Amino acid sequence: MVPGAASCELWTHPIQLDVVKKRSTWILKFEQSEEKNKIINKISVEEMASKFIEEDHPTILIDGRPLDLILNDLFPNELLLGLIPMITDWISLEEETKLVEDVYEANQELKILPILMCPDDCDLSCTLVVAEVETIHDQIKWLRIGIDMNNPKELIEQNRFFETNVKWLNNMSAMTFSKDDYKSLDKIYRKNN
């Protein structure tokens, strides 16, 4: 018998091949999941019209597509098409403007941030979409997105948005942005920017 021949026979045994195949599949899946974690979405704010506002206005784009269109494609029954960003210059009540600005500026690792509102009222009492935002090193993640059902007066009193009373939109993948790209949101969250 040639030295090492027994080990060659082991590799040709069906059970051993199955173990090797499963292990390589697991390694491949692990490498693919690591790649997914490295994916960075592109976020920007561009001037364009929307369903209910014919004039160009700041619009949040994710990977080149308006956020309201993305949400409408994924959740057509939620009536999210035509929502606009939380343009602080457009919010009708000063205390709501201050709350939105304060939350955006807050240096918290995890927070709930309003991202879209109804263009009819431009306040916190109509349809309001929020994101659970996590800041880690040089990245900002939107872990999940939902429709806020909280009482605006309570939000103002507490000076923050709550995770409770949010109808989280399931099947929405988390999005990861570079801090540099994320600064484009200053156009909507900072008054007179």
Side-chain angles (χ1 to χ4, degrees), residues 21-130:
K21 189 175 179 182
K22 283 182 181 175
R23 187 169 195 284
S24 354
T25 302
W26 179 82
I27 289 170
L28 180 61
K29 284 181 182 176
F30 177 77
E31 289 171 351
Q32 287 172 344
S33 71
E34 287 293 299
E35 280 301 309
K36 281 184 182 178
N37 290 336
K38 292 179 185 177
I39 291 175
I40 300 284
N41 298 94
K42 176 78 174 154
I43 190 168
S44 61
V45 175
E46 305 293 333
E47 296 286 324
M48 60 179 44
S50 58
K51 182 176 180 178
F52 302 112
I53 301 177
E54 293 178 10
E55 294 118 30
D56 286 353
H57 59 82
T59 302
I60 298 173
L61 302 179
I62 307 292
D63 299 325
R65 289 195 64 220
L67 180 56
D68 68 311
L69 291 178
I70 294 169
L71 294 176
N72 183 66
D73 287 350
L74 293 171
F75 310 100
N77 297 330
E78 296 296 340
L79 305 174
L80 303 174
L81 185 63
L83 295 183
I84 61 170
M86 301 298 302
I87 306 166
T88 54
D89 288 333
W90 291 19
I91 297 174
S92 46
L93 300 172
E94 189 59 38
E95 60 267 18
E96 291 183 356
T97 301
K98 183 179 178 339
L99 171 62
V100 171
E101 289 174 334
D102 288 351
V103 171
Y104 177 70
E105 296 291 337
N107 289 326
Q108 296 171 300
E109 189 175 308
L110 195 64
K111 63 185 173 185
I112 305 297
L113 177 70
I115 54 175
L116 296 176
M117 66 181 170
C118 173
D120 292 336
D121 300 319
C122 292
D123 64 16
L124 304 180
S125 64
C126 196
T127 304
L128 184 67
V129 175
V130 296

Side-chain angles (χ1 to χ4, degrees), residues 40 135-140 177-180:
I40 300 284
T135 303
I136 300 176
H137 307 296
D138 62 342
Q139 294 181 342
I140 307 223
F177 312 108
S178 74
K179 274 192 177 177
D180 289 338

Side-chain angles (χ1 to χ4, degrees), residues 152-164:
K153 289 181 182 177
E154 290 176 21
L155 299 174
I156 292 166
E157 286 171 7
Q158 298 293 321
N159 199 40
R160 67 185 189 101
F161 289 83
F162 305 103
E163 181 180 343
T164 55

Side-chain angles (χ1 to χ4, degrees), residues 173-186:
S173 298
M175 293 177 262
T176 304
F177 312 108
S178 74
K179 274 192 177 177
D180 289 338
D181 282 354
Y182 202 75
K183 288 178 185 173
S184 67
L185 294 181
D186 287 358

